[in-house]
């Protein structure tokens, strides 16, 4: 971490704002980052608050032209942060916090530009023919966040940062694919389809999803099982990041990723559930995942050798 450990009252207030946004909008994320020491937790909250702003623009009801204008405005915030043009008394608390993060940690802010690129794909209504096409989108909206997070966490014990960044990117893909599966019905209701068209056609689901039952004659369960296997492989690779982090950063990643990994297994156990409603974990199960992460159980298991279950 670079810079002084001292944080002014104005910057502290900006971080508090970001933490409120994070706690209110992203309970799974907030559950994970509570395991971090204060400076890293604040930094992750600032990254989340900016990302939330970008996502809210993409998910809102504004017309596409206005969404593009607002996304361009968020990109200008990044320009100001890079140039050191954000004062501590700036009216935008997210910009203030992000500027402090940029001064203290080696975060690759280009990752936030990639996030904006991904949301612009949503605004354009892009669809994805193959997994390789979808992976480009996932890397923008999730893999980039993994690399940004690694800038806050750092690597421990001389581990190669570039290899760690690859694992963080892959773990981001695993989380995003899990999100896509969980939100199949909600996205369909909003006129969006993220799963690759090639996969949908293979399992007779090319007509999309319009209710709590799959398309007639389709193999919806087969489609979900196919995507679950892909996500499991991504998790298996991405989890190799854990032993490369310090204990508390590894605990944070294990908690966040572990929650999504368990969501994936719930989906695998009952594929039709994602057409009936939003699959989630109860608080006690999230607490169990957090305890496992804090104890370093997942990191130690991965360090001993590869295994498909988590």
């Amino acid at each position: 971490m670079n810079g002084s450990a001292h944080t002014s009252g104005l910057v502290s207030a900006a971080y508090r704002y970001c933490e409120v946004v994070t706690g209110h909008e992203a309970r799974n994320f907030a559950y994970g980052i509570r395991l971090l020491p204060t400076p890293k937790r604040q930094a992750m909250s600032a990254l989340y608050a900016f990302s939330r702003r970008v996502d809210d623009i993409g998910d809102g009801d504004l017309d596409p032209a206005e969404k593009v204008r607002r996304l361009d405005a968020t990109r200008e915030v990044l320009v100001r942060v890079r140039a050191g043009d954000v004062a501590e008394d700036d009216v935008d608390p997210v910009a203030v916090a992000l500027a402090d993060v940029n001064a203290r940690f080696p975060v690759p802010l280009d990752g936030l530009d990639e996030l904006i690129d991904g949301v612009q794909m949503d605004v354009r209504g892009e669809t994805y023919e193959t997994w390789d096409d979808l992976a480009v989108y996932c890397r923008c909206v999730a893999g980039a966040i993994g690399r940004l997070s690694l800038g806050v966490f750092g690597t421990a014990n001389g581990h190669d940062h570039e290899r760690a960044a690859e694992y963080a990117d892959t773990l981001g893909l695993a989380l995003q694919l899990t999100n896509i599966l969980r939100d199949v019905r909600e996205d369909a209701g909003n006129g969006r389809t993220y799963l690759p068209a090639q996969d949908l056609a293979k399992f007779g689901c090319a007509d999309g999803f319009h209710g709590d039952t799959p398309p007639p004659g389709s193999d919806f369960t087969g489609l979900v099982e196919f995507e679950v296997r892909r996500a499991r492989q991504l998790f298996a690779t991405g989890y190799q990041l854990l032993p490369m982090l310090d204990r508390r950063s590894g605990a944070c990643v294990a908690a966040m990723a572990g929650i999504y990994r368990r969501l994936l297994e719930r989906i695998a156990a009952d594929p039709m559930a994602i057409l009936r409603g939003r699959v989630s974990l109860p608080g006690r199960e999230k607490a169990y995942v957090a305890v496992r992460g804090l104890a370093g159980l997942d990191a130690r298991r991965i360090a001993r050798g590869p295994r498909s279950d988590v």
Side-chain angles (χ1 to χ4, degrees):
M1 185 172 71
N2 301 321
S4 168
H6 175 71
T7 302
S8 74
L10 290 170
V11 173
S12 294
Y15 277 128
R16 284 196 297 274
Y17 172 85
C18 293
E19 290 189 288
V20 168
V21 170
T22 303
H24 185 262
E25 299 290 343
R27 294 180 181 177
N28 289 348
F29 186 83
Y31 212 97
I33 66 172
R34 68 193 294 185
L35 304 174
L36 293 171
T38 298
K40 291 184 178 182
R41 187 186 70 247
Q42 290 176 331
M44 292 295 290
S45 294
L47 291 172
Y48 176 82
F50 184 89
S51 301
R52 180 76 263 167
R53 178 179 296 177
V54 174
D55 285 343
D56 285 346
I57 294 170
D59 292 338
D61 297 327
L62 301 170
D63 65 79
E66 178 61 17
K67 287 184 178 182
V68 169
R69 189 191 70 78
R70 295 196 182 193
L71 289 171
D72 287 342
T74 63
R75 210 184 287 273
E76 283 300 312
V77 172
L78 299 178
V79 172
R80 292 172 55 216
V81 168
R82 290 188 183 96
D85 288 341
V86 179
E88 291 187 356
D89 61 351
D90 193 279
V91 295
D92 182 353
V94 176
V96 173
L98 195 60
D100 192 68
V101 172
N102 190 50
R104 289 170 177 262
F105 295 93
V107 290
L109 288 182
D110 289 352
L112 293 175
D113 282 298
E114 290 181 46
L115 172 63
I116 296 170
D117 292 340
V119 173
Q120 286 178 329
M121 293 180 195
D122 283 337
V123 172
R124 293 194 297 268
E126 290 193 16
T127 55
Y128 307 97
E129 182 64 26
T130 67
W131 163 246
D132 286 344
D133 296 332
L134 178 59
V136 172
Y137 169 78
C138 291
R139 283 195 167 90
C140 285
V141 298
I145 301 303
R147 297 191 299 277
L148 284 157
S149 301
L150 185 62
V152 174
F153 298 147
T155 53
N157 302 322
H159 285 293
D160 179 61
H161 186 85
E162 288 188 11
R163 177 61 61 86
E166 293 174 5
Y167 291 148
D169 181 88
T170 302
L171 193 56
L173 265 64
L175 269 60
Q176 187 62 25
L177 182 53
T178 302
N179 262 335
I180 288 170
L181 283 172
R182 181 188 62 181
D183 296 340
V184 157
R185 180 173 177 179
E186 180 181 341
D187 289 335
N190 292 325
R192 294 178 178 175
T193 301
Y194 289 97
L195 291 175
Q198 194 176 78
D199 298 353
L200 294 172
K202 178 180 179 180
F203 293 96
C205 296
D207 291 338
F209 311 104
H210 307 288
D212 58 5
T213 57
S218 68
D219 181 11
F220 179 75
T221 297
L223 171 67
V224 173
E225 290 175 347
F226 180 79
E227 303 299 347
V228 165
R229 286 195 297 273
R230 174 177 280 148
R232 283 173 176 157
Q233 291 171 353
L234 293 168
F235 271 113
T237 299
Y239 264 107
Q240 294 180 67
L241 173 65
L242 296 183
M244 305 176 79
L245 304 175
D246 66 71
R247 185 179 69 87
R248 292 180 72 176
S249 296
C252 171
V253 174
M256 290 189 291
I259 288 170
Y260 280 89
R261 185 65 169 81
R262 285 172 177 270
L263 281 174
L264 182 70
E265 294 311 315
R266 286 203 165 202
I267 292 168
D270 184 9
M272 295 298 176
I274 60 177
L275 294 181
R276 296 194 298 268
R278 190 177 182 88
V279 178
S280 62
L281 295 183
R284 64 182 181 278
E285 193 164 349
K286 292 179 184 179
Y288 171 74
V289 173
V291 169
R292 280 184 61 89
L294 192 59
L297 297 177
D298 293 325
R300 288 199 295 271
R301 179 185 57 73
I302 292 162
R304 288 195 298 268
R307 183 175 157 190
S308 60
D309 63 316
V310 175

